[in-house]
Amino acid sequence: VIFYHNHSAEGGAIFLETAILDMNNCQVEMNFADEIGGGIAAELNSFLQVDNCEFNQNETGEKGGGLYLIDCSGTFNFSAVSDNFTEGKGGGFYIENSPLEFFELIVNDNVAYSDGGGIYSDESDTCFQNLTMTGNSSGRDGGAIACLDSDITIFNGLFQNNYADDDGTIYLGNDSHPLLYNLTMVYNVVEDKGGAVYCSSGSPILNNCIVADNYGEGGFYLVSGNPVIEYSNFHNNENGNFRGFSNNIGVNTTVNVNNACLLYTSPSPR
């Protein structure tokens, strides 16, 4: 099924309220919403089962260029969200108060004029397994992801060539507590702070991650919070790998600065 070139105030192709949606092998392409959800807008305890679908070149005037999901639940498998645009937050996804699960998700080349070029997450405990995010861009914070008051989990991820006009390829705020396992974050660009991660408040856990060759003030920029970094490699990030940290970086974290290699085995940061 192809949903093509539709227009609505909310949900350019599909709008859901207290509904169940089962999508398989669908294309949602070049739809436009004046306000929310260029491709899909779903709210009020709706449930989505999405398998092998593509959301491409959808646009919205406010939130969620590809999809706007609030007070929803559901599962996405083997799907791609690419080349979507919003004048507000969440170029690919705008997610709020929604416990969702994503498996084998591609989020590429989406644009938000505000926060969250690929994904904007607010008050959501969302799980991603095998997530690819490349070429997304935001006019403010979170070139790939802006995460506020959310306890997201990402297992296995690639973050590459994303761009933020302000802070963070992954931006963490409002006391977020993400779990980030086995991520590769390389060649991302931010104009201000946190080439890979910017934490304004929260307690992220990074385990078995590679953070290298990112552009911005520091690979991981900490304003406030208690991050835990374990068994990870930070290399050649502009203006230093860590900014705002005490001497305790993490557990078995390899830090490479000016071709020097240091191994930290201290406790997690104070």
Side-chain angles (χ1 to χ4, degrees):
V1 178
I2 299 175
F3 299 85
Y4 177 77
H5 213 270
N6 300 286
H7 176 217
S8 178
E10 298 181 347
I14 299 171
F15 179 78
L16 305 173
E17 279 189 354
T18 320
I20 296 174
L21 176 66
D22 192 341
M23 299 181 69
N24 196 338
N25 293 315
C26 294
Q27 289 181 294
V28 181
E29 186 170 325
M30 296 186 70
N31 302 284
F32 179 79
D34 298 319
E35 298 176 9
I36 56 174
I40 293 178
E43 54 188 28
L44 296 178
N45 298 312
S46 292
F47 177 87
L48 297 89
Q49 179 68 50
V50 178
D51 299 292
N52 299 300
C53 293
E54 296 181 1
F55 301 83
N56 302 320
Q57 299 182 57
N58 303 286
E59 296 187 18
T60 185
E62 294 185 9
K63 299 176 181 178
L67 300 96
Y68 173 92
L69 308 171
I70 181 169
D71 298 320
C72 293
S73 60
T75 302
F76 287 68
N77 296 302
F78 299 97
S79 294
V81 177
S82 303
D83 296 296
N84 301 284
F85 169 81
T86 181
E87 294 183 18
K89 298 175 180 178
F93 287 91
Y94 181 95
I95 302 171
E96 184 177 334
N97 194 32
S98 296
L100 299 162
E101 293 183 316
F102 296 89
F103 300 92
E104 304 290 346
L105 177 66
I106 297 172
V107 183
N108 290 348
D109 300 315
N110 301 284
V111 177
Y113 273 0
S114 184
D115 303 313
I119 298 170
Y120 183 92
S121 176
D122 187 10
E123 296 184 329
S124 294
D125 299 340
T126 303
C127 181
F128 301 88
Q129 185 166 324
N130 298 332
L131 172 64
T132 299
M133 301 195 73
T134 65
N136 301 287
S137 63
S138 68
R140 292 181 58 185
D141 300 320
I145 298 178
C147 179
L148 287 83
D149 195 18
S150 294
D151 297 344
I152 66 171
T153 300
I154 304 175
F155 292 98
N156 303 325
L158 172 65
F159 292 73
Q160 183 172 328
N161 294 328
N162 299 287
Y163 172 84
D165 203 36
D166 284 335
D167 298 320
T169 296
I170 296 178
Y171 177 91
L172 306 174
N174 293 12
D175 202 28
S176 292
H177 305 282
L179 305 178
L180 308 176
Y181 294 100
N182 198 28
L183 303 191
T184 298
M185 305 184 68
V186 293
Y187 306 120
N188 300 288
V189 175
V190 305
E191 295 297 338
D192 202 350
K193 303 177 182 69
V197 179
Y198 179 95
C199 181
S200 67
S201 64
S203 301
I205 296 175
L206 279 71
N207 185 286
N208 196 33
C209 294
I210 296 172
V211 180
D213 298 301
N214 298 289
Y215 180 92
E217 188 176 343
F220 191 133
Y221 194 100
L222 176 65
V223 177
S224 176
N226 294 288
V228 176
I229 303 173
E230 304 173 315
Y231 308 104
S232 294
N233 189 301
F234 283 69
H235 172 70
N236 199 39
N237 296 287
E238 189 195 31
N239 294 320
N241 294 303
F242 300 96
R243 302 299 297 269
F245 283 76
S246 68
N247 291 329
N248 292 332
I249 301 294
V251 179
N252 287 349
T253 297
T254 304
V255 183
N256 297 274
V257 182
N258 298 326
N259 297 319
C261 182
L262 302 174
L263 183 65
Y264 286 78
T265 57
S266 59
S268 57
R270 292 188 292 260

